[in-house]
mmCIF file of all heavy atoms in Angstrom:
data_model
loop_
_atom_site.group_PDB
_atom_site.id
_atom_site.type_symbol
_atom_site.label_atom_id
_atom_site.label_comp_id
_atom_site.label_asym_id
_atom_site.label_seq_id
_atom_site.Cartn_x
_atom_site.Cartn_y
_atom_site.Cartn_z
ATOM 1 N N ASP A 1 13.911 37.288 -3.477
ATOM 2 C CA ASP A 1 14.493 36.148 -4.186
ATOM 3 C C ASP A 1 13.415 35.237 -4.766
ATOM 4 O O ASP A 1 13.534 34.768 -5.902
ATOM 5 C CB ASP A 1 15.395 35.348 -3.237
ATOM 6 C CG ASP A 1 16.851 35.768 -3.338
ATOM 7 O OD1 ASP A 1 17.080 36.975 -3.547
ATOM 8 O OD2 ASP A 1 17.739 34.911 -3.206
ATOM 9 N N MET A 2 12.382 34.974 -3.991
ATOM 10 C CA MET A 2 11.334 34.085 -4.482
ATOM 11 C C MET A 2 10.600 34.694 -5.674
ATOM 12 O O MET A 2 10.221 33.981 -6.607
ATOM 13 C CB MET A 2 10.364 33.720 -3.360
ATOM 14 C CG MET A 2 10.936 32.669 -2.407
ATOM 15 S SD MET A 2 9.746 31.989 -1.250
ATOM 16 C CE MET A 2 9.762 33.241 0.023
ATOM 17 N N ARG A 3 10.410 35.990 -5.664
ATOM 18 C CA ARG A 3 9.765 36.625 -6.821
ATOM 19 C C ARG A 3 10.685 36.607 -8.028
ATOM 20 O O ARG A 3 10.242 36.327 -9.148
ATOM 21 C CB ARG A 3 9.320 38.053 -6.486
ATOM 22 C CG ARG A 3 8.565 38.707 -7.639
ATOM 23 C CD ARG A 3 7.808 39.936 -7.245
ATOM 24 N NE ARG A 3 6.703 39.691 -6.357
ATOM 25 C CZ ARG A 3 5.540 39.157 -6.724
ATOM 26 N NH1 ARG A 3 5.350 38.789 -7.978
ATOM 27 N NH2 ARG A 3 4.578 38.981 -5.853
ATOM 28 N N TYR A 4 11.954 36.868 -7.828
ATOM 29 C CA TYR A 4 12.894 36.878 -8.950
ATOM 30 C C TYR A 4 13.067 35.480 -9.545
ATOM 31 O O TYR A 4 13.131 35.302 -10.772
ATOM 32 C CB TYR A 4 14.247 37.423 -8.486
ATOM 33 C CG TYR A 4 15.258 37.551 -9.598
ATOM 34 C CD1 TYR A 4 15.068 38.453 -10.649
ATOM 35 C CD2 TYR A 4 16.417 36.765 -9.598
ATOM 36 C CE1 TYR A 4 16.002 38.567 -11.675
ATOM 37 C CE2 TYR A 4 17.358 36.881 -10.620
ATOM 38 C CZ TYR A 4 17.147 37.784 -11.652
ATOM 39 O OH TYR A 4 18.070 37.892 -12.667
ATOM 40 N N LEU A 5 13.118 34.476 -8.658
ATOM 41 C CA LEU A 5 13.334 33.100 -9.103
ATOM 42 C C LEU A 5 12.029 32.364 -9.420
ATOM 43 O O LEU A 5 12.061 31.241 -9.912
ATOM 44 C CB LEU A 5 14.121 32.327 -8.044
ATOM 45 C CG LEU A 5 15.497 32.904 -7.698
ATOM 46 C CD1 LEU A 5 16.123 32.141 -6.547
ATOM 47 C CD2 LEU A 5 16.414 32.892 -8.913
ATOM 48 N N ARG A 6 10.894 32.973 -9.081
ATOM 49 C CA ARG A 6 9.554 32.478 -9.441
ATOM 50 C C ARG A 6 9.197 31.194 -8.683
ATOM 51 O O ARG A 6 8.759 30.191 -9.260
ATOM 52 C CB ARG A 6 9.458 32.283 -10.949
ATOM 53 C CG ARG A 6 9.960 33.516 -11.721
ATOM 54 C CD ARG A 6 9.686 33.428 -13.191
ATOM 55 N NE ARG A 6 10.356 34.492 -13.936
ATOM 56 C CZ ARG A 6 9.986 35.768 -13.999
ATOM 57 N NH1 ARG A 6 8.929 36.165 -13.321
ATOM 58 N NH2 ARG A 6 10.652 36.647 -14.734
ATOM 59 N N TRP A 7 9.382 31.266 -7.360
ATOM 60 C CA TRP A 7 9.147 30.089 -6.515
ATOM 61 C C TRP A 7 7.670 29.747 -6.419
ATOM 62 O O TRP A 7 6.809 30.619 -6.285
ATOM 63 C CB TRP A 7 9.739 30.314 -5.120
ATOM 64 C CG TRP A 7 11.163 29.866 -5.065
ATOM 65 C CD1 TRP A 7 12.188 30.273 -5.866
ATOM 66 C CD2 TRP A 7 11.722 28.909 -4.168
ATOM 67 N NE1 TRP A 7 13.349 29.625 -5.528
ATOM 68 C CE2 TRP A 7 13.100 28.784 -4.489
ATOM 69 C CE3 TRP A 7 11.202 28.160 -3.121
ATOM 70 C CZ2 TRP A 7 13.956 27.929 -3.800
ATOM 71 C CZ3 TRP A 7 12.056 27.305 -2.425
ATOM 72 C CH2 TRP A 7 13.408 27.196 -2.774
ATOM 73 N N THR A 8 7.418 28.417 -6.390
ATOM 74 C CA THR A 8 6.056 27.903 -6.315
ATOM 75 C C THR A 8 5.730 27.279 -4.967
ATOM 76 O O THR A 8 4.613 27.396 -4.480
ATOM 77 C CB THR A 8 5.827 26.860 -7.428
ATOM 78 O OG1 THR A 8 5.673 27.548 -8.667
ATOM 79 C CG2 THR A 8 4.594 26.024 -7.182
ATOM 80 N N TYR A 9 6.690 26.598 -4.351
ATOM 81 C CA TYR A 9 6.382 25.903 -3.096
ATOM 82 C C TYR A 9 7.595 25.921 -2.170
ATOM 83 O O TYR A 9 8.736 26.133 -2.597
ATOM 84 C CB TYR A 9 5.923 24.467 -3.360
ATOM 85 C CG TYR A 9 6.972 23.568 -3.974
ATOM 86 C CD1 TYR A 9 7.963 22.988 -3.195
ATOM 87 C CD2 TYR A 9 6.964 23.284 -5.333
ATOM 88 C CE1 TYR A 9 8.926 22.159 -3.735
ATOM 89 C CE2 TYR A 9 7.929 22.450 -5.895
ATOM 90 C CZ TYR A 9 8.903 21.896 -5.094
ATOM 91 O OH TYR A 9 9.859 21.079 -5.629
ATOM 92 N N LEU A 10 7.338 25.674 -0.863
ATOM 93 C CA LEU A 10 8.383 25.720 0.155
ATOM 94 C C LEU A 10 7.991 24.828 1.324
ATOM 95 O O LEU A 10 6.808 24.727 1.677
ATOM 96 C CB LEU A 10 8.567 27.163 0.653
ATOM 97 C CG LEU A 10 9.781 27.459 1.543
ATOM 98 C CD1 LEU A 10 11.067 27.375 0.724
ATOM 99 C CD2 LEU A 10 9.659 28.850 2.145
ATOM 100 N N ASN A 11 8.987 24.185 1.932
ATOM 101 C CA ASN A 11 8.774 23.322 3.090
ATOM 102 C C ASN A 11 8.324 24.148 4.294
ATOM 103 O O ASN A 11 9.006 25.086 4.704
ATOM 104 C CB ASN A 11 10.073 22.583 3.416
ATOM 105 C CG ASN A 11 9.892 21.476 4.431
ATOM 106 O OD1 ASN A 11 8.876 21.397 5.112
ATOM 107 N ND2 ASN A 11 10.889 20.628 4.547
ATOM 108 N N GLU A 12 7.185 23.781 4.868
ATOM 109 C CA GLU A 12 6.689 24.474 6.057
ATOM 110 C C GLU A 12 7.462 24.050 7.310
ATOM 111 O O GLU A 12 7.591 24.820 8.272
ATOM 112 C CB GLU A 12 5.204 24.177 6.258
ATOM 113 C CG GLU A 12 4.597 24.895 7.455
ATOM 114 C CD GLU A 12 3.152 24.552 7.677
ATOM 115 O OE1 GLU A 12 2.874 23.430 8.168
ATOM 116 O OE2 GLU A 12 2.298 25.397 7.371
ATOM 117 N N ASP A 13 8.017 22.847 7.307
ATOM 118 C CA ASP A 13 8.579 22.266 8.520
ATOM 119 C C ASP A 13 10.080 22.468 8.684
ATOM 120 O O ASP A 13 10.610 22.292 9.785
ATOM 121 C CB ASP A 13 8.277 20.761 8.543
ATOM 122 C CG ASP A 13 6.783 20.481 8.517
ATOM 123 O OD1 ASP A 13 6.070 21.097 9.314
ATOM 124 O OD2 ASP A 13 6.340 19.671 7.690
ATOM 125 N N TYR A 14 10.767 22.830 7.604
ATOM 126 C CA TYR A 14 12.230 22.910 7.679
ATOM 127 C C TYR A 14 12.716 23.992 6.714
ATOM 128 O O TYR A 14 12.231 24.087 5.590
ATOM 129 C CB TYR A 14 12.840 21.562 7.280
ATOM 130 C CG TYR A 14 14.309 21.444 7.570
ATOM 131 C CD1 TYR A 14 14.765 21.085 8.836
ATOM 132 C CD2 TYR A 14 15.249 21.677 6.577
ATOM 133 C CE1 TYR A 14 16.136 20.964 9.101
ATOM 134 C CE2 TYR A 14 16.616 21.560 6.829
ATOM 135 C CZ TYR A 14 17.045 21.204 8.090
ATOM 136 O OH TYR A 14 18.384 21.083 8.355
ATOM 137 N N TYR A 15 13.590 24.877 7.129
ATOM 138 C CA TYR A 15 14.251 24.919 8.416
ATOM 139 C C TYR A 15 13.570 25.997 9.249
ATOM 140 O O TYR A 15 13.501 27.151 8.829
ATOM 141 C CB TYR A 15 15.754 25.192 8.206
ATOM 142 C CG TYR A 15 16.541 25.563 9.410
ATOM 143 C CD1 TYR A 15 16.750 24.655 10.437
ATOM 144 C CD2 TYR A 15 17.062 26.834 9.538
ATOM 145 C CE1 TYR A 15 17.495 25.008 11.554
ATOM 146 C CE2 TYR A 15 17.806 27.184 10.655
ATOM 147 C CZ TYR A 15 18.021 26.273 11.667
ATOM 148 O OH TYR A 15 18.745 26.616 12.764
ATOM 149 N N LYS A 16 13.061 25.628 10.452
ATOM 150 C CA LYS A 16 12.280 26.552 11.260
ATOM 151 C C LYS A 16 13.073 27.787 11.676
ATOM 152 O O LYS A 16 12.509 28.866 11.858
ATOM 153 C CB LYS A 16 11.752 25.836 12.512
ATOM 154 C CG LYS A 16 10.658 24.828 12.248
ATOM 155 C CD LYS A 16 9.357 25.491 11.807
ATOM 156 C CE LYS A 16 8.204 24.500 11.756
ATOM 157 N NZ LYS A 16 6.948 25.147 11.300
ATOM 158 N N GLY A 17 14.393 27.627 11.829
ATOM 159 C CA GLY A 17 15.203 28.765 12.227
ATOM 160 C C GLY A 17 15.130 29.919 11.236
ATOM 161 O O GLY A 17 15.234 31.093 11.617
ATOM 162 N N VAL A 18 14.950 29.600 9.961
ATOM 163 C CA VAL A 18 14.773 30.638 8.941
ATOM 164 C C VAL A 18 13.305 31.009 8.804
ATOM 165 O O VAL A 18 12.932 32.191 8.826
ATOM 166 C CB VAL A 18 15.335 30.162 7.587
ATOM 167 C CG1 VAL A 18 15.005 31.178 6.484
ATOM 168 C CG2 VAL A 18 16.846 29.979 7.676
ATOM 169 N N ASN A 19 12.452 29.998 8.688
ATOM 170 C CA ASN A 19 11.020 30.277 8.492
ATOM 171 C C ASN A 19 10.437 31.110 9.618
ATOM 172 O O ASN A 19 9.606 32.007 9.389
ATOM 173 C CB ASN A 19 10.248 28.965 8.372
ATOM 174 C CG ASN A 19 10.599 28.183 7.118
ATOM 175 O OD1 ASN A 19 11.544 28.535 6.408
ATOM 176 N ND2 ASN A 19 9.851 27.135 6.830
ATOM 177 N N ASN A 20 10.871 30.844 10.851
ATOM 178 C CA ASN A 20 10.336 31.598 11.982
ATOM 179 C C ASN A 20 10.773 33.055 11.966
ATOM 180 O O ASN A 20 10.096 33.928 12.537
ATOM 181 C CB ASN A 20 10.756 30.943 13.299
ATOM 182 C CG ASN A 20 10.029 29.632 13.555
ATOM 183 O OD1 ASN A 20 9.027 29.332 12.907
ATOM 184 N ND2 ASN A 20 10.532 28.836 14.486
ATOM 185 N N THR A 21 11.912 33.334 11.326
ATOM 186 C CA THR A 21 12.343 34.727 11.176
ATOM 187 C C THR A 21 11.302 35.531 10.414
ATOM 188 O O THR A 21 11.049 36.703 10.718
ATOM 189 C CB THR A 21 13.694 34.784 10.428
ATOM 190 O OG1 THR A 21 14.678 34.096 11.194
ATOM 191 C CG2 THR A 21 14.153 36.220 10.208
ATOM 192 N N TRP A 22 10.678 34.897 9.435
ATOM 193 C CA TRP A 22 9.676 35.598 8.622
ATOM 194 C C TRP A 22 8.398 35.860 9.405
ATOM 195 O O TRP A 22 7.700 36.841 9.129
ATOM 196 C CB TRP A 22 9.367 34.790 7.365
ATOM 197 C CG TRP A 22 10.600 34.424 6.575
ATOM 198 C CD1 TRP A 22 11.821 35.043 6.618
ATOM 199 C CD2 TRP A 22 10.734 33.362 5.646
ATOM 200 N NE1 TRP A 22 12.707 34.433 5.776
ATOM 201 C CE2 TRP A 22 12.071 33.393 5.154
ATOM 202 C CE3 TRP A 22 9.874 32.385 5.160
ATOM 203 C CZ2 TRP A 22 12.542 32.483 4.213
ATOM 204 C CZ3 TRP A 22 10.345 31.476 4.216
ATOM 205 C CH2 TRP A 22 11.668 31.533 3.753
ATOM 206 N N ILE A 23 8.116 34.994 10.366
ATOM 207 C CA ILE A 23 6.967 35.251 11.248
ATOM 208 C C ILE A 23 7.277 36.439 12.151
ATOM 209 O O ILE A 23 6.466 37.363 12.303
ATOM 210 C CB ILE A 23 6.648 33.998 12.091
ATOM 211 C CG1 ILE A 23 6.254 32.827 11.188
ATOM 212 C CG2 ILE A 23 5.526 34.301 13.087
ATOM 213 C CD1 ILE A 23 6.081 31.510 11.923
ATOM 214 N N THR A 24 8.472 36.431 12.717
ATOM 215 C CA THR A 24 8.870 37.489 13.650
ATOM 216 C C THR A 24 8.900 38.855 12.978
ATOM 217 O O THR A 24 8.454 39.856 13.554
ATOM 218 C CB THR A 24 10.256 37.183 14.253
ATOM 219 O OG1 THR A 24 10.207 35.911 14.907
ATOM 220 C CG2 THR A 24 10.660 38.250 15.246
ATOM 221 N N ASP A 25 9.427 38.922 11.750
ATOM 222 C CA ASP A 25 9.551 40.238 11.105
ATOM 223 C C ASP A 25 8.305 40.646 10.313
ATOM 224 O O ASP A 25 8.282 41.684 9.659
ATOM 225 C CB ASP A 25 10.811 40.323 10.245
ATOM 226 C CG ASP A 25 10.768 39.478 8.976
ATOM 227 O OD1 ASP A 25 9.680 39.078 8.540
ATOM 228 O OD2 ASP A 25 11.854 39.232 8.404
ATOM 229 N N GLY A 26 7.259 39.815 10.369
ATOM 230 C CA GLY A 26 5.965 40.221 9.812
ATOM 231 C C GLY A 26 5.750 39.929 8.341
ATOM 232 O O GLY A 26 4.739 40.361 7.773
ATOM 233 N N GLY A 27 6.642 39.172 7.704
ATOM 234 C CA GLY A 27 6.494 38.930 6.277
ATOM 235 C C GLY A 27 5.874 37.606 5.893
ATOM 236 O O GLY A 27 5.598 37.364 4.717
ATOM 237 N N MET A 28 5.632 36.733 6.877
ATOM 238 C CA MET A 28 5.181 35.387 6.554
ATOM 239 C C MET A 28 3.829 35.361 5.841
ATOM 240 O O MET A 28 3.624 34.595 4.881
ATOM 241 C CB MET A 28 5.110 34.531 7.814
ATOM 242 C CG MET A 28 4.622 33.109 7.566
ATOM 243 S SD MET A 28 5.674 32.181 6.402
ATOM 244 C CE MET A 28 6.860 31.468 7.530
ATOM 245 N N ASP A 29 2.891 36.194 6.262
ATOM 246 C CA ASP A 29 1.568 36.177 5.628
ATOM 247 C C ASP A 29 1.656 36.499 4.144
ATOM 248 O O ASP A 29 0.963 35.886 3.321
ATOM 249 C CB ASP A 29 0.627 37.159 6.314
ATOM 250 C CG ASP A 29 0.065 36.620 7.624
ATOM 251 O OD1 ASP A 29 0.335 35.446 7.949
ATOM 252 O OD2 ASP A 29 -0.631 37.370 8.328
ATOM 253 N N ASN A 30 2.495 37.449 3.802
ATOM 254 C CA ASN A 30 2.623 37.795 2.387
ATOM 255 C C ASN A 30 3.256 36.657 1.593
ATOM 256 O O ASN A 30 2.864 36.392 0.453
ATOM 257 C CB ASN A 30 3.449 39.071 2.207
ATOM 258 C CG ASN A 30 3.165 39.748 0.892
ATOM 259 O OD1 ASN A 30 2.015 40.057 0.576
ATOM 260 N ND2 ASN A 30 4.195 39.957 0.091
ATOM 261 N N ILE A 31 4.220 35.963 2.193
ATOM 262 C CA ILE A 31 4.818 34.807 1.529
ATOM 263 C C ILE A 31 3.772 33.717 1.322
ATOM 264 O O ILE A 31 3.705 33.099 0.246
ATOM 265 C CB ILE A 31 6.021 34.283 2.338
ATOM 266 C CG1 ILE A 31 7.162 35.313 2.306
ATOM 267 C CG2 ILE A 31 6.508 32.942 1.808
ATOM 268 C CD1 ILE A 31 8.319 34.987 3.221
ATOM 269 N N LYS A 32 2.945 33.475 2.327
ATOM 270 C CA LYS A 32 1.875 32.482 2.190
ATOM 271 C C LYS A 32 0.919 32.839 1.058
ATOM 272 O O LYS A 32 0.456 31.970 0.318
ATOM 273 C CB LYS A 32 1.095 32.350 3.502
ATOM 274 C CG LYS A 32 1.843 31.636 4.608
ATOM 275 C CD LYS A 32 0.982 31.530 5.855
ATOM 276 C CE LYS A 32 1.696 30.748 6.955
ATOM 277 N NZ LYS A 32 0.860 30.619 8.180
ATOM 278 N N ARG A 33 0.624 34.137 0.937
ATOM 279 C CA ARG A 33 -0.286 34.570 -0.123
ATOM 280 C C ARG A 33 0.311 34.403 -1.514
ATOM 281 O O ARG A 33 -0.375 34.005 -2.454
ATOM 282 C CB ARG A 33 -0.678 36.038 0.079
ATOM 283 C CG ARG A 33 -1.852 36.288 0.995
ATOM 284 C CD ARG A 33 -2.280 37.744 0.954
ATOM 285 N NE ARG A 33 -1.296 38.600 1.604
ATOM 286 C CZ ARG A 33 -1.350 38.976 2.888
ATOM 287 N NH1 ARG A 33 -2.345 38.556 3.645
ATOM 288 N NH2 ARG A 33 -0.429 39.754 3.401
ATOM 289 N N GLU A 34 1.600 34.712 -1.654
ATOM 290 C CA GLU A 34 2.155 34.902 -2.997
ATOM 291 C C GLU A 34 3.060 33.782 -3.493
ATOM 292 O O GLU A 34 3.498 33.812 -4.648
ATOM 293 C CB GLU A 34 2.883 36.249 -3.056
ATOM 294 C CG GLU A 34 1.937 37.410 -2.804
ATOM 295 C CD GLU A 34 2.572 38.772 -2.985
ATOM 296 O OE1 GLU A 34 3.766 38.843 -3.339
ATOM 297 O OE2 GLU A 34 1.877 39.774 -2.766
ATOM 298 N N LEU A 35 3.352 32.784 -2.666
ATOM 299 C CA LEU A 35 4.082 31.618 -3.164
ATOM 300 C C LEU A 35 3.283 31.000 -4.312
ATOM 301 O O LEU A 35 2.093 30.716 -4.174
ATOM 302 C CB LEU A 35 4.255 30.584 -2.060
ATOM 303 C CG LEU A 35 5.620 30.478 -1.383
ATOM 304 C CD1 LEU A 35 5.555 29.477 -0.240
ATOM 305 C CD2 LEU A 35 6.723 30.102 -2.361
#
């Protein structure tokens, strides 16, 4: 979705329930790189 919608920035602090899912499933580093 972020690539399709061309996202530039995202809140690190909210909502942790979603953001932490990306840490658990291993995708967070790539999101950090490509935002």
